[in-house]
Amino acid sequence: MDNMEILFGVSSIRQKEAEELAERLRPTKISGILIGYPPYILPTQEEALVYTKRIINLCNKPTILYNNPKRTGFDLSVSSILQLSKIEFVIGIKEAGNKEKVGLLKKNITKSNFHIYAGGEIELEEKVSLGFDRLSSIAGNISATEISQWFNKLLARKEISEKERIKIESIIQQVYQGSPIVNLKKTINEKGIPIGICRSPIGNG
């Protein structure tokens, strides 16, 4: 815990369970939380705001919102994000939905410690150009140095050499061809770290 930041995901279909988890995290050394929205439930924006604020108040830690409508069916609106960004503990959003939202967020959120996280490396160059300034990396689990160097160059608007581009494309293809989670676990297992296999139906082919 002294050598890295630990972020903990908090989400549940039942708000009561998410609240209980947040409460238990409060006294720990966890660095911050990532708040996810319940799949299938399809809360209204108002209900999502209540859910989010309650978790933040109980946990009292730096908070990143996680909007992933493709997985949950729920899309946190720009208006809701702007409202939540005013809370002191809210330091960013991991936006896996409409990347065009980012321009509006950048324009309307003035606090300097609010960051936009890209979920994974797909279309990362375009996302950085739109204003994403943090990366929740997937490929970094097996090629941390290469992905970190590439991302930092993108942020600094530095030129990516052809050799670097070929290397990154190879890493991304290795991870994203098929199921990324299956590929990651396979590669990590092959490196001698027993991380186990995926539960079915993922990886059952």
Side-chain angles (χ1 to χ4, degrees), residues 179 182 197-205:
S179 170
V182 172
I197 59 173
C198 293
R199 61 188 179 190
S200 297
I202 298 176
N204 66 359

Side-chain angles (χ1 to χ4, degrees), residues 140-156:
N141 286 285
I142 58 171
S143 301
T145 301
E146 293 87 346
I147 295 296
S148 176
Q149 289 174 348
W150 173 55
F151 181 58
N152 286 325
K153 275 196 169 186
L154 292 177
L155 288 179

Side-chain angles (χ1 to χ4, degrees), residues 40 42 60 66 72 131:
Y40 185 73
L42 302 180
N60 219 34
Y66 182 23
T72 65

Side-chain angles (χ1 to χ4, degrees), residues 169-182:
E169 286 175 359
S170 173
I171 293 168
I172 289 175
Q173 186 176 20
Q174 178 188 358
V175 172
Y176 287 92
Q177 193 168 24
S179 170
I181 297 174
V182 172

